[in-house]
Amino acid sequence: MLSPDVNFFCRIAGAWMNNRSDPKFTRAMLVLLPLTTEFDQRGGDVEALLLRHKIPLSALTTPTMLVDASACYAAMEDMAETLGDVHFGAKVATEAANKGAPAIWKAAKNAVTLGDFLARIVVEIATQVDNVRYLFSASAEAASFEVQRTLRVSGPTTQLDAIGVVFYVSLIKRGLGNAFDPKRMIVTAPTNAGFPPGFLPKSSFIKSNINGLRISFPPQWLWEPFSLGWDVIETPRGEFARDADDGATVAYFRSLLVENIGAEDMSLNRFAEICGTHPRQMQRILSAQGVTYSQMKDQARRHLAVELVANTSTPIAQIALRVGLSGPSSLTRAFRQWTGKTPTHFRAKATRDHDT
């Protein structure tokens, strides 16, 4: 039997989360933005894609906007088909698992063991997504993490299934390190057609008409130490020692800020938390280098915005969101201050310069 503490923990963590709105709708920004960003970088036409599925372009820049969930799922399949890459969703999911996913930063940061991490995910993601339910349970025989869709999708779910399975299995593998053994894991999903070759042993996959996915593994894994090692959540790595070079530390701050500038309203206190230091210590280090946090944030936003406008075809609305601004008009105002040009004019000039 499991210890009393773990039994209590599993009863709390395994509670089903109640939906807060119509499960037929979902937040397109949360569901589609990583995919459309990669789709655009690979030459896809995001605006045409969204038009085909009657999804407003503004849905990618408005966190609270709800759109038809089936349309989002169909758009996932469309992107993979357009690119001729059945593993498209899995590749995006793998990158998210390895680089960091904003939706679960808090769960990843505060977790100590795998069981702790999965329990926190159940609670954290359920506050963000309405059309899926999460269950984490454990017995003496097996532990299980399940994602159940509340909407039955009529079309293919190859990308949807691959994204879910690859993302969560990759997180577990990364977090457990050497303790992970794919042969001791069972994944249940409608299809494995979108899984990368060799992602799991054939014996580890069960095809079922389950409306979602289930990942089962030995209950002993719940006690295993768990760390994803994402830069955004890792503890100080020496940058903040008393004898550390302030210039190198500020460079470290800048790199993390560029990565996270669009994740949320990045206040000084929140960013200090991400960096693993105290806000006052951060202010002291920045002051010694003659810069304020507000200035550093503006510089990071400018650097990233100019890079994306000049060297990618990412829609202006998506760039605004990526750099932490409310929309295209906000980016245009900021861009005029930075460069004296609108993003559109700046991109046109950059394109001409590249061609000559």
Side-chain angles (χ1 to χ4, degrees):
M1 291 189 60
L2 297 174
S3 69
D5 286 345
V6 173
N7 276 317
F8 173 77
F9 163 74
C10 289
R11 286 198 300 273
I12 298 297
W16 289 99
M17 298 293 104
N18 293 324
N19 285 342
R20 302 183 311 284
S21 62
D22 191 334
K24 293 181 180 179
F25 297 91
T26 190
R27 292 175 174 83
M29 195 184 90
L30 182 65
V31 174
L32 288 182
L33 186 57
L35 295 162
T36 55
T37 299
E38 179 64 21
F39 182 66
D40 173 74
Q41 292 176 353
R42 292 177 59 174
D45 187 334
V46 174
E47 293 189 24
L49 169 83
L50 297 180
L51 182 62
R52 285 197 295 273
H53 298 281
K54 301 180 181 179
I55 300 173
L57 181 61
S58 57
L60 296 181
T61 60
T62 308
T64 57
M65 182 178 290
L66 297 176
V67 300
D68 187 278
S70 292
C72 288
Y73 301 152
M76 294 179 186
E77 304 298 328
D78 192 341
M79 283 185 271
E81 184 176 348
T82 299
L83 295 174
D85 183 1
V86 71
H87 304 129
F88 170 69
K91 292 173 182 176
V92 175
T94 301
E95 183 176 7
N98 288 331
K99 293 183 63 177
I104 61 171
W105 278 342
K106 187 182 297 183
K109 176 177 181 178
N110 295 320
V112 177
T113 64
L114 174 61
D116 187 18
F117 173 67
L118 294 177
R120 292 176 186 275
I121 278 186
V122 168
V123 175
E124 187 168 341
I125 296 188
T127 66
Q128 305 175 43
V129 181
D130 297 318
N131 60 326
V132 291
R133 290 172 174 166
Y134 291 79
L135 175 66
F136 169 45
S137 60
S139 69
E141 290 75 32
S144 177
F145 176 69
E146 185 168 347
V147 181
Q148 184 182 60
R149 295 190 285 267
T150 58
L151 172 68
R152 178 66 66 173
V153 182
S154 58
T157 61
T158 300
Q159 297 305 305
L160 186 61
D161 296 331
I163 290 168
V165 171
V166 170
F167 180 67
Y168 287 114
V169 171
S170 296
L171 288 178
I172 294 172
K173 178 180 180 180
R174 182 180 179 89
L176 290 180
N178 293 334
F180 178 81
D181 181 356
K183 295 179 181 179
R184 303 187 69 191
M185 173 177 280
I186 298 294
V187 170
T188 305
T191 178
N192 64 350
F195 295 7
F199 178 70
L200 283 174
K202 291 183 178 180
S203 59
S204 294
F205 176 73
I206 297 176
K207 184 177 181 179
S208 168
N209 64 355
I210 180 175
N211 190 25
L213 65 94
R214 183 185 303 114
I215 301 172
S216 302
F217 49 87
Q220 293 80 8
W221 285 11
L222 296 175
W223 284 273
E224 290 290 342
F226 187 88
S227 176
L228 290 169
W230 293 340
D231 282 342
V232 71
I233 61 169
E234 65 184 13
T235 54
R237 303 172 299 184
E239 291 90 343
F240 312 120
R242 292 182 179 179
D243 58 349
D245 175 53
D246 282 351
T249 302
V250 170
Y252 171 71
F253 287 160
R254 291 185 193 279
S255 66
L256 282 188
L257 195 52
V258 168
E259 288 294 321
N260 299 287
I261 193 68
E264 57 183 282
D265 181 15
M266 197 64 65
S267 66
L268 172 63
N269 288 348
R270 172 59 181 141
F271 186 61
E273 181 185 0
I274 287 174
C275 293
T277 188
H278 193 279
R280 291 180 183 174
Q281 185 180 13
M282 176 174 285
Q283 287 178 316
R284 178 194 63 77
I285 294 171
L286 293 177
S287 178
Q289 294 296 303
V291 65
T292 66
Y293 175 66
S294 178
Q295 290 170 336
M296 185 175 69
K297 185 163 66 170
D298 187 67
Q299 291 165 0
R301 181 173 286 130
R302 172 179 178 172
H303 171 81
L304 182 58
V306 169
E307 175 68 21
L308 292 174
V309 169
N311 298 314
T312 76
S313 58
T314 304
I316 301 303
Q318 290 190 43
I319 294 176
L321 181 68
R322 176 64 183 85
V323 300
L325 296 174
S326 59
S329 60
S330 296
L331 179 62
T332 297
R333 286 194 298 270
F335 224 83
R336 284 185 183 277
Q337 294 177 350
W338 294 331
T339 68
K341 297 181 176 64
T342 66
T344 302
H345 290 160
F346 191 91
R347 172 172 283 173
K349 184 178 185 304
T351 300
R352 289 195 299 270
D353 291 343
H354 290 324
D355 292 341
T356 57

